[in-house]
Amino acid sequence: QVQLVESGGGLVQAGGSQRLSCAASGTFFRIHTMGWFRQAPEKPRELVANILTGDSATYTDSVRGRFTISRDNAKNTVYLQMNSLKPEDTAVYYCYAEVQMAGLRGTYSAWGQGTQVTVSS
């Protein structure tokens, strides 16, 4: 089993910055794609950004140019640097990882517990 532990988040003023971290631990063979989703009240969960093992990253349009996702494969950790934050970025941010177990070809999705990001206007 893999555990994803998130850190960062909290309250920030509009225009400010925050950095989220998510570290994977436990027993696994390899971690493939890692990324972040977010969910605002009464809205569906949406993909914010993800990053492959080769550092190829994708972003949802609303955060492109403001957020940067990165990863440290040696530490099995993914980061989300959020700049120029807006009130509409307020949400619970969830880390996820595509995990491959030893002896298996497929992967499963592991999720963090979520961390609240609140941007005040």
Side-chain angles (χ1 to χ4, degrees):
Q1 285 287 2
V2 171
Q3 295 80 43
L4 300 181
V5 178
E6 298 152 348
S7 59
L11 177 64
V12 64
Q13 289 188 333
S17 298
Q18 277 193 344
R19 188 190 195 208
L20 305 182
S21 300
C22 173
S25 63
T27 302
F28 54 88
F29 174 65
R30 185 179 182 186
I31 292 181
H32 295 264
T33 302
M34 301 185 80
W36 296 88
F37 278 73
R38 68 184 179 186
Q39 187 166 21
E42 301 181 357
K43 290 188 177 180
R45 188 175 294 191
E46 66 167 350
L47 176 65
V48 177
N50 62 19
I51 184 167
L52 307 181
T53 53
D55 291 337
S56 175
T58 60
Y59 300 89
T60 191
D61 288 345
S62 62
V63 308
R64 190 175 292 112
R66 300 187 297 122
F67 291 10
T68 301
I69 190 170
S70 61
R71 65 189 289 171
D72 184 333
N73 292 325
K75 296 180 178 180
N76 296 310
T77 299
V78 63
Y79 306 95
L80 186 67
Q81 177 65 44
M82 304 183 292
N83 299 328
S84 301
L85 283 161
K86 304 175 181 180
E88 51 263 43
D89 294 317
T90 296
V92 178
Y93 284 70
Y94 297 91
C95 166
Y96 84 97
E98 296 295 329
V99 181
Q100 182 181 3
M101 303 301 289
L104 300 178
R105 293 183 179 179
T107 63
Y108 76 92
S109 297
W111 291 87
Q113 77 282 4
T115 184
Q116 177 70 46
V117 173
T118 302
V119 184
S120 63
S121 58

